[in-house]
Amino acid sequence: MDDSNNKKGPISFNDIDDIFGDSNIFESDDEPLWDKLIEQIIDGNVIPVIGADMLTDNSTELMANSSNPHQFIIDGLAKRYQLTPPPTSFSELVYAPDYLKANKNKEEQIYYQVNRILTAISNKLTPSSCLQRLLSIRQFPFVITTSFTPVVEQAMRAIWKDELKVMRFNNNPSENNDIKSSADLRKPTVYYMFGKFGEGAHRYALTDTDILEFVSSWLSNTNTRPKNLCNELKNKYLLMLGNNYDNWLFRFIWFSMRKNNIGQGMYAYDNLDNSLIHFLERTKIFTKQDTTDVVEQIIERLNKKLKEKEQTKFDRPEENTDVFISYSRADSAIAEKLYEALTAQGIRVWYDRQNLTFGGNFMEEIRKAIRTTKYFVPILSSNIIKEKDESHVYRNEWDQAIEVAISMGRKFIIPLAEQGFDFYKAALPEKLQQHNAIFFDGIHGINVAAEKITHAMNQD
């Protein structure tokens, strides 16, 4: 009998390897994590959270010697007060003996100085190309910044123009901004999580102590915290980019935003601390160490996925959408603009130029789409009046929508009417006339009209 396997002897780590075979436990496949991120972006479920280290680059003369606007201010004040060694954070700067001596031991002086510096250089701060490329993704209308500088706001305004809304949290219950509902997350907005420069002392976060005070407010259950935003963020995928905080401090910030839901997110920073990586990966957070590459990967993968989804539309019509757009061919430009404005807010839209299948029974597809959509939006313009004696498919769509509306216990039809539209001259069905319309002023007013449609949908 061969008892060689039962021989006693010293145990080595090789014995453990023999038990599990040759598989490499360190092998990892990022593809499922990338796929999850891209799907979340398409679903409108991702909120970018932008830190100081992603704001600018050294392509401009102003920022040639500093890694970001925060460090530029720190370096400038360190030179002014001849601080050695040079501080690497506002906390080090504020408590440097020579700085306190020069400012008569007034810690609050730093806020006055930062306000003066940023007021003077704000128009010279150019958003990095990486930041501009990220924010150009239309699926990111709502962005949070952990920086007090206006760089993210400048980049967002270049894209969204007057549509952009600016909100801030400055740790003052009477002035903190909060969203009203989840619909606000689909509107172009920049939210200053740690306040915005221009306020008084401790009204925006400079030092670690400031940040801890802000975070403690976010964690509290008092009226200090932005309650509605906190509730929404718990279920969102947070895309954390360029947030350079100490390991312990970042954990507090992350937890304040997630509260009871730790998961769903990506953290990317060029110099990640190993213990922070381990913490994030234990909580199933996707981590990467090249922010620029992450942005390029997102753009490439998102474009590829959207093209794939576009191709599948020729195979089957999309069902269970949020909005069905009904319109005259004479109003194609308006319908296209409305489709773009609504989808930019993350709303799923049935629009025949995107959803009808090639060679399919188009009337059956239209009827099915109307029965399965949440809201029916007919575009009513002067062209409808001109075509009142003609046969058009959109009139069949109206009849189908009226049937659905009768069985609904809520609002279903939301007419979008051109300013000055005469409901009676257009020969509209009486039951369509009974619905309150949202008015638009030409094609340039469609973006505003789209926001009103979204608001009407969220009232139910």
Side-chain angles (χ1 to χ4, degrees):
M1 177 174 138
D2 184 4
D3 62 350
S4 58
N5 290 332
N6 296 321
K7 290 181 180 179
K8 295 181 179 180
I11 298 175
S12 72
F13 291 125
N14 291 333
D15 294 308
I16 296 177
D17 287 339
D18 291 339
I19 295 171
F20 291 100
D22 297 329
S23 61
N24 184 355
I25 63 172
F26 297 105
E27 289 180 354
S28 62
D29 182 9
D30 285 346
E31 286 306 308
L33 299 175
W34 278 114
D35 290 343
K36 180 178 181 180
L37 169 58
I38 299 305
E39 287 296 336
Q40 292 284 329
I41 292 175
I42 292 174
D43 291 342
N45 201 37
V46 176
I47 304 292
V49 183
I50 309 300
D53 281 279
M54 192 183 177
L55 300 183
T56 57
D57 50 38
N58 56 8
S59 61
T60 62
E61 182 178 351
L62 179 67
M63 298 300 302
N65 299 313
S66 300
S67 59
N68 62 64
H70 292 202
Q71 194 60 50
F72 174 84
I73 296 171
I74 293 168
D75 293 342
L77 291 174
K79 182 178 180 181
R80 174 180 174 81
Y81 294 106
Q82 300 180 345
L83 304 181
T84 55
T88 59
S89 69
F90 282 106
S91 294
E92 291 182 13
L93 170 66
V94 169
Y95 296 112
D98 288 341
Y99 178 83
L100 288 173
K101 182 178 179 181
N103 289 284
K104 299 179 181 179
N105 294 323
K106 290 185 178 179
E107 297 176 20
E108 289 75 13
Q109 187 72 8
I110 184 65
Y111 301 90
Y112 167 74
Q113 293 167 342
V114 169
N115 285 341
R116 285 194 62 184
I117 293 171
L118 277 175
T119 299
I121 70 170
S122 286
N123 61 349
K124 299 179 182 179
L125 294 174
T126 302
S128 69
S129 58
C130 183
L131 177 62
Q132 293 179 62
R133 283 179 61 74
L134 176 78
L135 298 183
S136 67
I137 299 174
R138 303 291 287 192
Q139 284 83 0
F140 295 149
F142 192 98
V143 176
I144 294 174
T145 179
T146 57
S147 170
F148 51 82
T149 69
V151 180
V152 172
E153 181 181 341
Q154 292 170 0
M156 290 281 284
R157 196 168 297 283
I159 298 167
W160 298 99
K161 305 295 190 287
D162 293 338
E163 295 180 63
L164 183 67
K165 185 176 183 179
V166 178
M167 305 179 76
R168 78 197 187 290
F169 180 86
N170 63 10
N171 215 15
N172 184 325
S174 64
E175 298 179 6
N176 293 333
N177 296 140
D178 193 8
I179 63 173
K180 294 181 180 178
S181 68
S182 60
D184 286 341
L185 298 181
R186 296 193 291 269
K187 299 176 182 178
T189 304
V190 57
Y191 193 99
Y192 288 86
M193 180 177 180
F194 294 141
K196 180 182 179 181
F197 94 96
E199 304 283 354
H202 305 288
R203 302 284 284 280
Y204 58 96
L206 288 179
T207 67
D208 293 349
T209 301
D210 285 338
I211 295 175
L212 283 175
E213 289 179 353
F214 274 64
V215 167
S216 64
S217 295
W218 278 64
L219 286 169
S220 72
N221 290 317
T222 65
N223 63 348
T224 304
R225 64 195 287 259
K227 180 180 178 181
N228 295 330
L229 179 59
C230 288
N231 289 338
E232 290 296 328
L233 291 182
K234 287 191 297 184
N235 300 311
K236 294 296 180 182
Y237 188 111
L238 300 183
L239 181 61
M240 306 284 290
L241 302 174
N243 289 278
N244 178 24
Y245 294 104
D246 288 336
N247 183 336
W248 65 272
L249 185 55
F250 177 81
R251 297 188 191 208
F252 276 108
I253 295 171
W254 180 261
F255 189 73
S256 74
M257 302 180 78
R258 302 324 306 254
K259 205 67 182 275
N260 298 321
N261 183 356
I262 297 296
Q264 293 275 347
M266 171 188 267
Y267 181 81
Y269 183 67
D270 294 347
N271 297 300
L272 276 176
D273 178 271
N274 284 335
S275 63
L276 180 56
I277 292 177
H278 295 156
F279 164 76
L280 293 171
E281 291 182 346
R282 284 198 303 272
T283 53
K284 304 186 187 316
I285 306 304
F286 191 14
T287 59
K288 285 292 178 183
Q289 296 199 50
D290 188 334
T291 306
T292 301
D293 181 64
V294 165
V295 173
E296 294 306 316
Q297 289 260 21
I298 288 175
I299 293 173
E300 180 181 345
R301 290 170 181 270
L302 179 60
N303 287 337
K304 180 180 178 181
K305 180 62 71 173
L306 289 175
K307 286 180 180 179
E308 290 175 357
K309 286 182 174 291
E310 191 70 25
Q311 291 172 352
T312 61
K313 289 179 181 178
F314 292 99
D315 300 325
R316 60 178 177 81
E318 186 175 353
E319 299 175 19
N320 299 315
T321 54
D322 297 315
V323 169
F324 181 104
I325 297 177
S326 174
Y327 67 102
S328 162
R329 289 285 174 239
D331 292 323
S332 293
I334 293 174
E336 179 78 19
K337 184 74 173 177
L338 179 61
Y339 169 77
E340 292 174 353
L342 290 174
T343 54
Q345 297 182 49
I347 294 174
R348 299 167 299 166
V349 181
W350 199 99
Y351 172 51
D352 60 358
R353 293 195 173 188
Q354 297 290 336
N355 298 87
L356 278 178
T357 62
F358 180 75
N361 184 337
F362 76 95
M363 280 308 303
E364 178 56 33
E365 290 180 16
I366 287 173
R367 283 192 291 269
K368 191 172 185 179
I370 294 173
R371 289 196 301 269
T372 59
T373 197
K374 293 180 181 176
Y375 295 92
F376 180 84
V377 178
I379 296 176
L380 308 176
S381 73
S382 57
N383 291 310
I384 300 295
I385 298 176
K386 295 174 184 177
E387 298 168 352
K388 66 178 181 179
D389 296 323
E390 302 173 9
S391 175
H392 288 280
V393 172
Y394 59 77
R395 294 188 181 277
N396 295 330
E397 294 172 354
W398 295 349
D399 292 340
Q400 180 71 31
I402 290 170
E403 288 184 17
V404 174
I406 291 172
S407 64
M408 283 278 190
R410 60 164 176 80
K411 174 170 48 190
F412 175 66
I413 300 176
I414 306 176
L416 181 61
E418 189 176 20
Q419 289 286 0
F421 180 79
D422 191 325
F423 284 79
Y424 299 99
K425 287 185 179 180
L428 297 184
E430 183 179 352
K431 290 188 179 298
L432 187 58
Q433 294 180 21
Q434 293 173 353
H435 293 81
N436 292 327
I438 290 173
F439 290 88
F440 69 96
D441 186 10
I443 195 168
H444 299 296
I446 290 299
N447 286 335
V448 174
E451 289 188 5
K452 292 181 179 178
I453 290 172
T454 302
H455 179 73
M457 291 165 58
N458 286 308
Q459 296 306 301
D460 291 333

